[in-house]
Amino acid sequence: MKKRSTLISGRRFLLLIVALSLIILVAVYYITDIRQTETPVYSCYLDYDSKGSKEEPQQLEDVLFADIKPTPGNSIFFLETKCNCSNHRYSILNFTAHQACAVEAAALHHSSYDVFVLFACPTIRQQNDPILDAMLSYENVQIRSVNLWRFAEGSPIEDWLKKDDLFRTEFLMINISDLLRLLTLYRYGGIYLDEDVIMFQSLEDEVPNFMGAETNTSIGNSVLGLEPDGFGHMVAELLLNDFQRNYLGNVWAHNGPKLLVRMMTRICGTNDVNAMQEDSNICHGIKVFDINAFYEINWTERSRFFHKQFADETLKRLKDSYAMHTWNHIKTNWPFRVGSSSAYMQLVAQHCPRVFAATGKYFT
Ligand SMILES: *[C@@H]1O[C@H](CO)[C@@H](O)[C@H](O)[C@H]1NC(C)=O
Ligand SMILES: *[C@@H]1O[C@H](CO)[C@@H](O)[C@H](O)[C@H]1NC(C)=O
Ligand SMILES: *[C@@H]1O[C@H](CO)[C@@H](O)[C@H](O)[C@H]1NC(C)=O
Ligand SMILES: *[C@@H]1O[C@H](CO)[C@@H](O)[C@H](O)[C@H]1NC(C)=O
Ligand SMILES: *[C@@H]1O[C@H](CO)[C@@H](O)[C@H](O)[C@H]1NC(C)=O
């Protein structure tokens, strides 16, 4: 009796094993199949090989190989890190008026600097694009592409980026902008600006190492200046190392602005952002601008840029500011009618006159 029951359970066990193996086989087949058909996210950041074909449109030049390259410490950088990943060959450069406006305002107020707009994926220009033409009518504006892997060569994150497994995760794609701004300042120094930062006045005569308080406990990373050598360069290196370490450690939400506070706390020996603003000596000369400089209108108040009933009050508050940061909010509000008297429209008319003139009835 006893022997028989062992036999049956043995057979059942065998059946179970066979069934399980089958399920696993099917699952493995599916997963590998999906892997093969689904194009990895990173592929749109790779070079596109046109194989010298004449019909293929010309891509933007790689910033590393172009004749006119950024002059270390004398350049302003904007980054476009969003790619059209459904087209594996290239993205089409299609700047909105507000993006082009940010570039123009930086170029207008910094005539001794070159302004570089770097595209993280292979990008081509459209034939007819009045907004882009207006932006490029400034002699000190250049558009270039970067290949992230080549761009990272010789930097502290070169090896880390080559570990494809890490790179293939979707997270890095989201955070590519945070990474690339640090890498750019590591390579060239100078000033980094977000695409939604409109400059009102020059930073040319300011100290080379600076950032701006966003609240009284946080520092923004939408405007950042570091010198290409010396202490500023060392800070860029520390930031890259910290980025990498915390990415690996999966400390999410830590590589944007929080990275700056963390780093400044180490450098200045205090996490008190007000104390950092008051005395840059405690921060080895890194200047922390007060909230008014770049982030006067904060996230919760952002609609004040766009509604005309707030225009007078908002313009008054921005009177001494270096820039306005519009919190990427434009997408949900646009298009704006040209001629609207919101603070935003009045300011863009003044600080990016050529792009403004190139838009039609609406400022997109
Ligand atoms: C992305 O590329 C695809 C394929 O070429 C194209 O159909 C689509 O319109 C593009 N999308 C954008 C937003 O450029
Ligand atoms: C450019 O973007 C606008 C919206 O931002 C869209 O309407 C237009 O079709 C795009 N053009 C191309 C060529 O992708
Ligand atoms: C910091 O800001 C908070 C609220 O925004 C405020 O209550 C507090 O008094 C501020 N602290 C200093 C030192 O300004
Ligand atoms: C990457 O970006 C996402 C979305 O902005 C954020 O939630 C996440 O914390 C970031 N990861 C790192 C490592 O900074
Ligand atoms: C935004 O600014 C307003 C007015 O200065 C202030 O009352 C509020 O606390 C600020 N919010 C944040 C999140 O800093």
Side-chain angles (χ1 to χ4, degrees), residues 171-190:
F171 285 108
L172 188 54
M173 290 304 140
I174 300 167
N175 301 67
I176 248 180
S177 161
D178 285 341
L179 176 62
L180 197 52
R181 76 188 65 182
L182 301 178
L183 200 50
T184 303
L185 292 178
Y186 175 83
R187 260 193 178 274
Y188 302 112

Side-chain angles (χ1 to χ4, degrees), residues 282-299:
I282 65 169
C283 304
H284 298 262
I286 300 179
K287 176 166 179 171
V288 177
F289 282 95
D290 64 17
I291 295 172
N292 181 260
F294 312 124
Y295 309 105
E296 170 66 25
I297 308 292
N298 64 32
W299 167 255

Side-chain angles (χ1 to χ4, degrees), residues 84-88 90-92 94:
N84 181 357
C85 289
S86 59
N87 180 349
H88 302 136
Y90 47 71
S91 297
I92 295 170
N94 188 15

Side-chain angles (χ1 to χ4, degrees), residues 103-280:
V103 176
E104 177 179 357
L108 177 69
H109 292 297
H110 299 81
S111 54
S112 74
Y113 277 52
D114 280 324
V115 179
F116 279 82
V117 188
L118 304 180
F119 293 79
C121 35
T123 300
I124 63 157
R125 281 186 60 174
Q126 310 181 64
Q127 288 311 311
N128 196 340
D129 189 341
I131 289 178
L132 190 68
D133 290 343
M135 179 184 108
L136 290 172
S137 69
Y138 285 78
E139 269 177 25
N140 58 339
V141 173
Q142 310 287 343
I143 49 177
R144 300 281 184 269
S145 69
V146 294
N147 168 300
L148 190 57
W149 292 268
R150 265 200 303 278
F151 202 59
E153 274 170 25
S155 82
I157 56 153
E158 175 179 4
D159 292 337
W160 179 65
L161 269 187
K162 282 184 183 152
K163 290 184 204 151
D164 274 355
D165 284 351
L166 291 168
F167 199 78
R168 270 168 223 217
T169 74
E170 204 115 355
F171 285 108
L172 188 54
M173 290 304 140
I174 300 167
N175 301 67
I176 248 180
S177 161
D178 285 341
L179 176 62
L180 197 52
R181 76 188 65 182
L182 301 178
L183 200 50
T184 303
L185 292 178
Y186 175 83
R187 260 193 178 274
Y188 302 112
I191 299 171
Y192 165 81
L193 298 176
D194 269 354
E195 286 177 312
D196 58 351
V197 169
I198 313 280
M199 293 298 308
F200 301 152
Q201 51 173 310
S202 173
L203 288 161
E204 282 161 317
D205 296 328
E206 284 296 337
V207 293
N209 298 321
F210 65 85
M211 48 195 76
E214 207 172 87
T215 67
N216 59 17
T217 55
S218 68
I219 296 172
N221 71 346
S222 301
V223 181
L224 207 52
L226 289 175
E227 60 191 338
D229 43 32
F231 191 66
H233 184 66
M234 206 183 88
V235 171
E237 187 173 341
L238 289 172
L239 287 168
L240 278 176
N241 281 324
D242 191 303
F243 184 97
Q244 181 183 149
R245 202 167 38 246
N246 284 295
Y247 185 81
L248 284 170
N250 276 334
V251 185
W252 302 117
H254 277 7
N255 274 341
K258 281 187 182 161
L259 173 70
L260 290 178
V261 175
R262 204 159 60 227
M263 182 60 52
M264 288 299 278
T265 300
R266 276 168 64 189
I267 291 171
C268 318
T270 170
N271 65 1
D272 182 345
V273 176
N274 287 320
M276 294 174 193
Q277 287 169 51
E278 273 156 27
D279 186 6
S280 67

Side-chain angles (χ1 to χ4, degrees), residues 316-336:
K316 198 186 265 171
R317 283 175 63 184
L318 291 170
K319 185 169 56 69
D320 298 320
S321 299
Y322 281 85
M324 65 173 162
H325 178 233
T326 54
W327 307 101
N328 250 323
H329 194 56
I330 288 156
K331 284 182 213 86
T332 52
N333 275 294
W334 71 277
F336 302 116

